[in-house]
Amino acid sequence: MKEHSDVVKKCVKTAFGLMPFHFAAHLLLSVLMAVLPFLGMEMSRRIYRFVDAASRSDPPIRNLVFPLAMYAFYLIATKAYLIYYQRVVVQFGAILTFEKKVKLALHKKCGEIEMRCYEDPQFYDGLWEAKVASMNIYRVVECLIEFCSIIISIFVLSGYAASIHPLFFLFVLFTAFPSLTEQVCEGVQRSRRQRESAAAEKEESARWDGLVNLASAKERILFDSYPFLKKKWKESSDRYQETEYSVGAYVFKVNLVLSVFRFGALAGVYVLAGLLYFQGKVDYAGFITTISTALFLQSQYGELFEVAGYYTEFVNLVKPFFRFMEADEEKKETGLSPDHEIRLEHVAFAYPTSEKNVLNDISLTVQAGERIAIVGVNGAGKSTLAKILSGLLQPTCGTALGCGKDFTRVMFQDFQRYALSREENIAVSERIPQNMDLIRRLSRQIELEDIPSGEILGREFGETDLSGGQWQKIALARLFYHGGNVLLLDEPTAAIDPLYEKRINELILENAAAENTSLIVISHRLSIARLVDRIYVLNDGRIVEGGTHDELLHTPGSLYRRLWDAQTSWYR
């Protein structure tokens, strides 16, 4: 019970924190609309009395003007609330705005979670469930507001119905229980299937993306993989549909049984109203108004328990969002070490999906302004070490000092290709590039001037589709534009042709020449290694050698020498 109330409090706090004016206005309008049916019933009763009196005498027509005007106001206000406010303002305005804001909050949280979590499939399950659950925050608060509105409406109309005859209240109350039972059963069933349904939906979405994604279209054509991918998607889609169907079938069976009780109670309202009318205990106006009030009150009771059922369901469905949002945040360094060094001491790291360490007993120091290279074959652990040095991953054990994104700028091997212009790709964190002179200078240095200015890059948006090497040059310009105390480059020349590689290496060293700017280059290509101050050789997750280019090259049997000979042999 305490967990339930805590979740509700979090929903209210989150909703009013994101859109306070909307939910306050929504609450006020709902309360006003709760009282309005009483006005409609009373005015309709006066109209029926006028009609009944007109059949026996000739009452003044002015007696009908006020009830008709007020009843017209009631109808217009009700329709305006249901059609304009609920469907237009809420459905196509507030809900979309809330969805955008809650997703931004979710994305912000993703940036605060330790990068190690991104290597765990369970993290993606939790993230997917949080995305699916996020909109239930709005639904929980909406149910609370609707619940208050219905309670007020029932309180007012119950007194009105009881003033006509107390038995009407009992009949209407009896009709509410089928709706309550139906909604509770559906909520319990959906809650039990929530995790299974979320996992099936995530798998179906991923398979569909692989089937239609433009990025994989070339391989689908070349490998003729469309039939296979379609079959895999259909299997996932069938599993997801079976999960949803089982819930729907269960609810249908329950609803079928309860509908018998609902119709019986409805018939009782008509029989009782007719009996009282023929006994002369209510007049014609009272007879018609009694049926209208009883039917409306019956629908209100049914809606009350329906909202209660939805409320219980939404509270259960929203929990994954708060579980994700309350996950431990990454512990980040606040700055460089006092002597402006980066120090790794006996660092080891293992991904959540593996029991084997990717890195083992890594110890190294990067002095302020020092230029180092970390080299090794593919699979040696270089990219993982790059993420630790940049502060994106925390070691499984050991100490990493001076690693943090606030002062480190990184160019990863899998850099991002944004559907933006050349200038926006370079100054990506600035809505309007603040230093166009620097962008123009970098474009000249890195030879990006042949890329059209101001045009969205990518074949999907314009005429300009860049090669892998051109995208890598843009990523390099992005790194130099933003700068930092530490520049870290992971495979910076992987897509660069050998003729231009020398020029890129010179530009890297030139832009890292600022005072106290440290340079860390991670690569399996050794062209830049001979130009740095110190080299670390990584093999099977361990630093096996360290020294200058000349020292390692003249060390008999060294791994670095074997790598150097293997690469340079093609040019002899």
Side-chain angles (χ1 to χ4, degrees):
M1 189 67 182
K2 185 178 184 301
E3 181 189 8
H4 180 93
S5 62
D6 288 342
V7 171
V8 174
K9 289 176 183 177
K10 291 172 185 175
C11 287
V12 173
K13 181 179 179 181
T14 302
F16 277 86
L18 293 176
M19 298 176 63
F21 176 77
H22 166 71
F23 285 103
H26 194 14
L27 178 60
L28 178 60
L29 281 173
S30 297
V31 171
L32 292 176
M33 294 306 299
V35 180
L36 207 56
F38 171 76
L39 175 66
M41 296 298 174
E42 180 59 28
M43 292 303 106
S44 65
R45 187 175 185 180
R46 294 188 184 187
I47 293 171
Y48 292 137
R49 280 178 177 171
F50 181 88
V51 172
D52 189 34
S55 65
R56 298 187 302 270
S57 61
D58 190 16
I61 194 67
R62 65 175 179 271
N63 293 348
L64 188 61
V65 174
F66 179 74
L68 281 176
M70 295 305 295
Y71 193 75
F73 168 76
Y74 160 72
L75 291 177
I76 292 171
T78 302
K79 294 300 180 182
Y81 178 77
L82 293 176
I83 296 175
Y84 178 74
Y85 181 76
Q86 290 283 22
R87 294 187 182 180
V88 178
V89 176
V90 174
Q91 198 71 27
F92 300 108
I95 289 180
L96 296 179
T97 302
F98 184 84
E99 182 178 11
K100 185 186 302 181
K101 289 188 176 184
V102 77
K103 283 184 177 179
L104 286 174
L106 188 62
H107 292 163
K108 181 182 177 182
K109 178 63 181 180
C110 288
E112 298 170 348
I113 292 176
E114 185 180 354
M115 281 294 296
R116 183 174 184 270
C117 297
Y118 285 81
E119 307 297 334
D120 189 349
Q122 291 185 356
F123 168 81
Y124 292 97
D125 289 339
L127 176 58
W128 183 267
E129 290 177 10
K131 286 181 179 179
V132 174
S134 60
M135 277 308 297
N136 290 306
I137 298 173
Y138 190 99
R139 299 304 182 192
V140 168
V141 178
E142 187 178 46
C143 284
L144 286 173
I145 294 174
E146 190 70 17
F147 197 79
C148 293
S149 174
I150 295 172
I151 288 291
I152 294 173
S153 179
I154 287 177
F155 179 78
V156 173
L157 290 179
S158 292
Y160 190 71
S163 67
I164 299 173
H165 200 286
L167 285 177
F168 285 113
F169 179 78
L170 296 177
F171 268 98
V172 172
L173 183 64
F174 177 71
T175 62
F177 287 102
S179 297
L180 170 63
T181 308
E182 175 187 344
Q183 293 302 319
V184 169
C185 290
E186 182 176 0
V188 171
Q189 185 73 359
R190 289 195 181 278
S191 176
R192 289 175 178 174
R193 295 295 185 94
Q194 177 188 355
R195 182 173 293 274
E196 180 182 349
S197 178
E201 185 180 3
K202 185 188 75 167
E203 181 182 297
E204 189 270 344
S205 178
R207 296 279 168 79
W208 175 255
D209 186 63
L211 187 65
V212 301
N213 196 319
L214 289 176
S216 58
K218 295 189 293 294
E219 289 198 2
R220 287 200 303 271
I221 295 171
L222 290 173
F223 293 105
D224 194 23
S225 59
Y226 180 81
F228 169 76
L229 294 174
K230 181 180 179 181
K231 180 182 177 182
K232 298 298 289 185
W233 166 75
K234 191 175 184 307
E235 290 173 355
S236 300
S237 178
D238 290 345
R239 279 195 294 272
Y240 177 54
Q241 290 178 4
E242 286 172 7
T243 303
E244 292 297 305
Y245 174 79
S246 64
V247 175
Y250 174 81
V251 173
F252 174 76
K253 293 175 183 177
V254 173
N255 189 33
L256 193 63
V257 174
L258 295 175
S259 62
V260 176
F261 295 96
R262 189 183 296 111
F263 290 136
L266 182 60
V269 172
Y270 279 92
V271 170
L272 178 61
L275 181 63
L276 292 175
Y277 176 69
F278 285 112
Q279 289 177 349
K281 295 182 179 179
V282 294
D283 58 8
Y284 174 75
F287 170 73
I288 299 297
T289 307
T290 294
I291 292 178
S292 299
T293 303
L295 291 177
F296 188 87
L297 193 57
Q298 173 190 325
S299 69
Q300 289 292 87
Y301 273 107
E303 190 174 347
L304 173 68
F305 292 116
E306 183 178 357
V307 170
Y310 282 128
Y311 167 77
T312 303
E313 178 182 352
F314 291 140
V315 169
N316 288 326
L317 292 175
V318 81
K319 291 177 182 179
F321 176 83
F322 293 108
R323 279 200 300 266
F324 186 85
M325 295 296 287
E326 292 167 3
D328 292 336
E329 296 181 3
E330 178 185 2
K331 298 177 181 178
K332 300 183 176 72
E333 290 288 325
T334 57
L336 290 167
S337 56
D339 50 2
H340 300 286
E341 289 182 342
I342 293 176
R343 289 196 296 271
L344 302 186
E345 299 175 355
H346 306 292
V347 163
F349 183 83
Y351 288 104
T353 54
S354 175
E355 297 180 358
K356 181 182 178 182
N357 284 346
V358 178
L359 299 175
N360 286 284
D361 197 25
I362 301 292
S363 296
L364 62 84
T365 300
V366 183
Q367 304 285 346
E370 187 177 12
R371 301 175 299 183
I372 74 164
I374 300 174
V375 301
V377 298
N378 290 332
K382 301 189 300 299
S383 293
T384 301
L385 182 56
K387 293 175 183 177
I388 290 178
L389 289 168
S390 63
L392 293 177
L393 288 180
Q394 297 295 316
T396 306
C397 61
T399 304
L401 299 175
C403 303
K405 71 178 183 66
D406 294 333
F407 40 86
T408 302
R409 294 295 176 262
V410 186
M411 174 186 166
F412 285 112
Q413 183 178 6
D414 54 346
F415 54 83
Q416 185 63 43
R417 307 178 183 195
Y418 297 101
L420 301 169
S421 67
R422 181 189 70 186
E423 293 78 11
E424 290 170 330
N425 261 282
I426 293 173
V428 70
S429 60
E430 300 171 355
R431 295 187 62 184
I432 300 176
Q434 301 298 308
N435 194 340
M436 287 302 300
D437 290 337
L438 178 56
I439 290 177
R440 283 189 285 269
R441 179 171 66 81
L442 289 171
S443 296
R444 286 194 303 271
Q445 287 181 337
I446 308 178
E447 299 182 7
L448 297 173
E449 292 179 305
D450 58 331
I451 300 174
S453 175
E455 182 179 323
I456 297 179
L457 303 180
R459 182 64 69 192
E460 299 91 341
F461 304 97
E463 298 180 357
T464 304
D465 189 21
L466 304 186
S467 66
Q470 286 175 309
W471 276 115
Q472 193 157 34
K473 290 178 184 179
I474 285 180
L476 196 61
R478 184 186 304 148
L479 174 74
F480 294 153
Y481 179 83
H482 292 282
N485 298 100
V486 180
L487 298 181
L488 196 157
L489 299 92
D490 185 9
E491 303 289 359
T493 59
I496 302 296
D497 59 78
L499 289 175
Y500 194 69
E501 185 175 2
K502 180 176 183 296
R503 175 60 180 152
I504 288 292
N505 289 337
E506 292 172 351
L507 286 173
I508 292 172
L509 295 173
E510 178 183 335
N511 282 272
E515 184 178 359
N516 288 332
T517 297
S518 303
L519 175 66
I520 304 173
V521 180
I522 298 177
S523 179
H524 70 280
R525 295 171 69 165
L526 308 183
S527 59
I528 198 173
R530 60 193 301 271
L531 304 176
V532 300
D533 302 321
R534 188 167 183 81
I535 301 167
Y536 293 94
V537 182
L538 198 64
N539 188 43
D540 197 23
R542 297 177 182 273
I543 293 179
V544 294
E545 296 169 3
T548 66
H549 170 74
D550 290 335
E551 289 172 351
L552 294 174
L553 196 60
H554 293 90
T555 300
S558 70
L559 177 58
Y560 180 81
R561 180 173 178 174
R562 296 202 304 272
L563 293 172
W564 178 266
D565 289 341
Q567 291 189 22
T568 58
S569 63
W570 294 100
Y571 302 97
R572 295 172 187 168

